[in-house]
Amino acid sequence: MRSKIVAGNWKMNKTMAQTETLLGELAAKVPDTDAEVIVAPTFVNLAAAVNQLEASVIQVSAQNMHYAENGAFTGEISADMLLDIGIGTVILGHSERRSLFGEDSALLSKKVHTAIEKGLRVIFCFGEELEDRKSGNHFKVVEEQLKVVFDLPLASWKHIVLAYEPVWAIGTGETASPDQAQEMHAFIRKAITSSVNKEVADKVTILYGGSVKPNNAQEIFSKPDVDGGLIGGASLKCDDFMAIVKAL
Ligand code: PEP
């Protein structure tokens, strides 16, 4: 049985007071579920979020981290700093980090290795751009992006969650159809089977992300290779996020 996860990436949204309000609502409304429920507020609110959710099943993730242990990296946050405040999970490779902050596979590989060596779980994001899909290159692009995790030692895989997020579906209101999501998730398991092994491919949790909303979540999550979702916009509203958690 693979773990099921719904994770909300809040990006650069919510002040501390707004974070406290939304977390209070989420903690009060989270349903009894086998799925893991994770929220990723901005860095400055992580410690307060961990404290506020101490008695809740809702977990807190970071949205990013630096690969170095410490040092002269102005404005950056290390794995140890996250662990020190009780964070167990970090999102790496989000398409906004790739496109707006120039993060490539070489950098992401360093980040993923550090995160896992330090004991964090990684939600590793990847996905093709619209031109890749239009030109039929989407499988090739995704397989290339996955090389970052194919390089990991076998024992690391239990700390990896994959999040397939087609860039053309992020924040656009355009979702991959449930069949397109299933097709890619099945391809990802096949690629892991060839590059790593079948046991890893069968066990790894693969989330879908890209305009998941209360009205489409159930159909997407019903696909056999989709183990949950990474949610952007809809994770900022308690009722929408909770409806998506219930859909899983
Ligand atoms: C995301 O940014 O990871 C995401 C999936 O955003 P949205 O749900 O808003 O498309």
Side-chain angles (χ1 to χ4, degrees):
M1 272 290 280
R2 294 190 283 267
S3 9
K4 305 250 175 208
I5 299 174
V6 179
N9 174 12
W10 292 9
K11 310 189 182 184
M12 196 173 73
N13 291 295
K14 306 281 181 197
T15 61
M16 186 173 278
Q18 291 166 340
T19 298
E20 204 180 320
T21 302
L22 180 52
L23 292 178
E25 290 170 2
L26 292 171
K29 291 196 179 167
V30 65
D32 197 14
T33 167
D34 289 340
E36 286 185 54
V37 181
I38 302 175
V39 291
T42 185
F43 278 133
V44 291
N45 293 327
L46 287 178
V50 169
N51 288 338
Q52 192 179 341
L53 294 174
E54 206 181 352
S56 170
V57 294
I58 302 173
Q59 302 168 45
V60 183
S61 167
Q63 299 174 17
N64 183 28
M65 54 159 255
H66 197 270
Y67 62 81
E69 172 120 24
N70 54 42
F73 298 100
T74 301
E76 292 291 331
I77 307 284
S78 73
D80 283 337
M81 291 170 188
L82 297 177
L83 290 160
D84 189 44
I85 57 163
I87 298 291
T89 304
V90 61
I91 297 170
L92 292 175
H94 190 276
S95 71
E96 286 146 21
R97 297 298 317 171
R98 292 173 188 263
S99 67
L100 303 175
F101 301 96
E103 296 198 2
D104 59 10
S105 287
L107 179 76
L108 289 170
S109 177
K110 290 190 199 173
K111 290 190 177 202
V112 170
H113 277 85
T114 300
I116 290 177
E117 270 164 32
K118 289 288 181 179
L120 286 161
R121 173 171 60 170
V122 173
I123 299 179
F124 181 71
C125 307
F126 54 92
E128 81 282 1
E129 312 239 355
L130 187 57
E131 307 85 77
D132 303 321
R133 185 154 282 262
K134 280 190 175 156
S135 60
N137 265 344
H138 45 298
F139 294 117
K140 221 171 119 205
V141 167
V142 161
E143 193 164 18
E144 191 60 34
Q145 291 172 324
L146 281 170
K147 285 186 181 161
V148 168
V149 284
F150 289 164
D151 280 351
L152 290 170
L154 260 191
S156 299
W157 276 89
K158 56 178 179 296
H159 306 294
I160 287 284
V161 171
L162 299 177
Y164 167 60
E165 300 203 299
V167 178
W168 48 272
I170 295 180
T172 58
E174 183 156 349
T175 326
S177 70
D179 286 340
Q180 283 174 320
Q182 169 56 28
E183 183 186 36
M184 183 57 87
H185 284 219
F187 169 79
I188 293 162
R189 288 198 205 282
K190 215 171 95 200
I192 299 171
T193 302
S194 331
S195 292
V196 188
N197 67 44
K198 181 154 175 15
E199 195 189 343
V200 167
D202 286 342
K203 277 193 183 158
V204 70
T205 293
I206 310 180
L207 310 180
Y208 169 78
S211 297
V212 176
K213 307 286 176 203
N215 63 2
N216 60 23
Q218 197 157 14
E219 211 188 334
I220 295 169
F221 295 161
S222 70
K223 294 295 175 185
D225 286 301
V226 178
D227 305 314
L230 181 55
I231 319 299
S235 70
L236 296 170
K237 290 193 192 128
C238 177
D239 288 347
D240 286 358
F241 191 55
M242 285 303 133
I244 293 169
V245 171
K246 282 185 196 139
L248 186 63

